[in-house]
Amino acid sequence: VINPHKTTCMLIGSKHRLSKIDNFQLMLGENSITRVTSQKLLGVHIDDNLSWKVHIDKTCAKLISKLYLLKRINGFLTFDMKIMFYRSYITPIFYYGCIIWRHGKVSDINRISKIQKRIARTILYKPQRSSSNENFHTLSWLSFSNRTNYFTAIMVYKKIHCLAFSYMD
């Protein structure tokens, strides 16, 4: 049974088209369903324009939080411990669902890339002007865009060779 007090609805479309719809109301029996502009679904924030801005904003906030935690404990950790911290606490935030939302605005994706560069500098105790390519090479990391391309290539390979889940048909 659908609970109308916990249920929301969202219209998806361009900003122009959505601006033309003023008083859309979805009813479930005698109850009005709340209309939202974004919704979290399985850890991914979907907005009504599919721009991924809300999700990227939330992802950046989580990453900045982990970066500040890393900075606070940085002096107490060995290099291997820092790498373990990155792989276990930060990497999942970077890459969860990135195949879907990596096509957001370039400026939003660049924000995530900049955070990755800051994390690399923090782990290596490098100055702000240090080369990101050298830092990534030292850490054996792919850049965010290269890593998302890698994940996409894996998914395409699995789909072509019938190794993907059946719901992807």
Side-chain angles (χ1 to χ4, degrees):
V1 178
I2 296 175
N3 184 340
H5 303 292
K6 294 182 180 179
T7 304
T8 59
C9 71
M10 179 173 48
L11 295 177
I12 297 176
S14 67
K15 286 183 183 179
H16 179 70
R17 285 199 173 202
L18 290 176
S19 67
K20 292 180 179 180
I21 302 171
D22 288 334
N23 49 358
F24 175 83
Q25 191 172 19
L26 185 61
M27 300 294 290
L28 184 60
E30 295 178 10
N31 299 307
S32 176
I33 304 297
T34 306
R35 183 175 168 192
V36 296
T37 57
S38 69
Q39 183 68 43
K40 184 176 180 180
L41 180 64
L42 298 175
V44 177
H45 295 270
I46 301 170
D47 61 34
D48 57 357
N49 303 121
L50 294 181
S51 68
W52 306 110
K53 180 164 178 35
V54 173
H55 180 76
I56 292 171
D57 288 345
K58 302 262 186 200
T59 300
C60 286
K62 286 182 196 173
L63 289 170
I64 295 279
S65 162
K66 298 296 182 187
L67 171 61
Y68 285 127
L69 176 59
L70 176 61
K71 284 183 177 186
R72 290 188 72 179
I73 63 174
N74 199 17
F76 303 103
L77 302 177
T78 66
F79 179 76
D80 290 336
M81 293 167 120
K82 292 176 201 177
I83 297 301
M84 188 183 312
F85 180 89
Y86 174 78
R87 287 185 181 151
S88 43
Y89 290 108
I90 298 175
T91 301
I93 298 168
F94 269 119
Y95 301 117
Y96 181 73
C98 67
I99 293 173
I100 300 167
W101 56 265
R102 75 183 190 110
H103 298 290
K105 287 174 96 177
V106 174
S107 60
D108 290 333
I109 299 300
N110 285 341
R111 290 173 41 215
I112 292 181
S113 296
K114 287 178 184 177
I115 295 170
Q116 184 186 31
K117 293 173 186 178
R118 287 174 61 190
I119 292 168
R121 287 193 307 265
T122 300
I123 289 173
L124 296 172
Y125 284 112
K126 295 285 186 170
Q128 189 170 359
R129 296 267 184 192
S130 62
S131 167
S132 297
N133 290 335
E134 289 177 17
N135 293 344
F136 289 167
H137 180 72
T138 302
L139 294 166
S140 300
W141 291 358
L142 291 173
S143 67
F144 178 76
S145 61
N146 287 340
R147 186 78 170 193
T148 56
N149 289 341
Y150 172 75
F151 287 138
T152 304
I154 288 173
M155 188 58 64
V156 169
Y157 176 86
K158 286 181 176 181
K159 182 62 186 150
I160 289 171
H161 292 90
C162 300
L163 300 171
F165 294 108
S166 61
Y167 63 80
M168 296 182 69
D169 288 338

